[in-house]
Amino acid sequence: AQSVTQLDSQVPVFEEAPVELRCNYSSSVSVYLFWYVQYPNQGLQLLLKYLSGSTLVKGINGFEAEFNKSQTSFHLRKPSVHISDTAEYFCAVTKRYTGFQKLVFGTGTRLLVSP
Amino acid sequence: ETGVTQTPRHLVMGMTNKKSLKCEQHLGHNAMYWYKQSAKKPLELMFVYSLEERVENNSVPSRFSPECPNSSHLFLHLHTLQPEDSALYLCASSQDRSGDNEKLFFGSGTQLSVL
């Protein structure tokens, strides 16, 4: 079975500062990895995903993540955050070649951007 | 507008009530999902329907009863709930293609409070 650990429940940061949200996963098989974002009073939206190929994945809103197989990590980064990036961020994993998405989510990291 | 609409947005019910949550997707997808989101816990997959057939039931208590009359609509019927069932219930849809994990599209959720 797959599992996801998001060590930081909350990350406060000032506007225009860089940020990294950490995600580690465990799995005995090859996986796909995802980051979703949840803005207040909304459902989740896909930020980016890693399926195969380049380990550096670029997503929407200037976010990127790097897949590190040896460290079983998929950390999310943004070089300069905006107030509007304040949201909950979820890392998720699913094993490859499943017929439908059986995503396993982490507990989420709340990013708080202040002026 | 994500293409997945959930009603109602908020629901307060007593433990003896019967109510239903509704989800509708306008994306032409063939798989639909119910997730439960509780504070400080990972999103929990409850049910998955693929081509209107239930393909996943994650040990959910029988007081939750899903119904998928067609590929565009998904219901979650609730009866004799407990206070610990209070949570945000999220519906999602995807295009189920074997071996190709496309993204989930989420609705904004129904915030359920059980008194």
Side-chain angles (χ1 to χ4, degrees):
Chain A
Q2 293 74 46
S3 68
V4 175
T5 302
Q6 292 182 249
L7 290 171
D8 305 306
S9 60
Q10 189 166 288
V11 173
V13 65
F14 289 109
E15 193 174 18
E16 298 183 10
V19 71
E20 179 179 81
L21 305 183
R22 296 181 292 170
C23 172
N24 288 88
Y25 69 93
S26 69
S27 175
S28 58
V29 298
S30 296
V31 296
Y32 296 138
L33 293 155
F34 304 79
W35 275 99
Y36 280 82
V37 60
Q38 184 177 31
Y39 298 104
N41 301 314
Q42 294 186 30
L44 281 71
Q45 302 174 36
L46 181 69
L47 262 183
L48 49 79
K49 60 183 177 182
Y50 172 77
L51 303 184
S52 65
S54 173
T55 57
L56 183 62
V57 180
K58 293 190 184 298
I60 62 172
N61 301 338
F63 284 92
E64 63 181 30
E66 186 155 20
F67 170 58
N68 188 320
K69 188 175 181 180
S70 62
Q71 297 187 7
T72 60
S73 68
F74 190 55
H75 301 331
L76 181 71
R77 295 190 290 259
K78 187 170 182 178
S80 176
V81 295
H82 301 290
I83 297 286
S84 59
D85 292 323
T86 294
E88 189 97 23
Y89 292 79
F90 294 91
C91 183
V93 63
T94 185
K95 65 180 181 180
R96 290 192 175 196
Y97 311 122
T98 51
F100 50 87
Q101 295 213 24
K102 295 180 69 172
L103 287 176
V104 174
F105 286 87
T107 51
T109 296
R110 184 172 299 277
L111 177 64
L112 295 169
V113 183
S114 53
Chain B
E1 176 57 56
T2 65
V4 180
T5 304
Q6 288 187 245
T7 54
R9 291 295 303 272
H10 301 275
L11 179 62
V12 179
M13 58 187 290
M15 290 190 285
T16 57
N17 292 158
K18 289 185 179 181
K19 297 285 184 183
S20 295
L21 310 184
K22 180 183 176 182
C23 177
E24 185 174 0
Q25 58 98 359
H26 315 278
L27 301 167
H29 291 163
N30 59 11
M32 296 187 76
Y33 312 73
W34 280 116
Y35 279 87
K36 177 183 179 183
Q37 185 178 21
S38 305
K40 307 296 183 187
K41 294 175 70 175
L43 269 75
E44 301 172 50
L45 179 63
M46 300 175 71
F47 301 103
V48 182
Y49 278 82
S50 178
L51 299 172
E52 301 157 40
E53 180 181 339
R54 191 191 307 180
V55 294
E56 186 77 18
N57 178 348
N58 256 8
S59 303
V60 179
S62 59
R63 57 186 184 269
F64 295 91
S65 175
E67 178 189 2
C68 187
N70 55 61
S71 60
S72 299
H73 293 87
L74 184 66
F75 295 89
L76 187 63
H77 304 299
L78 317 170
H79 66 97
T80 59
L81 294 191
Q82 305 298 310
E84 61 264 28
D85 296 323
S86 298
L88 181 68
Y89 289 84
L90 292 165
C91 174
S93 70
S94 72
Q95 187 60 29
D96 176 15
R97 282 180 274 180
S98 181
D100 184 6
N101 281 270
E102 291 298 320
K103 62 181 180 181
L104 287 173
F105 289 78
F106 283 86
S108 299
T110 295
Q111 186 65 54
L112 174 67
S113 298
V114 182
L115 305 178

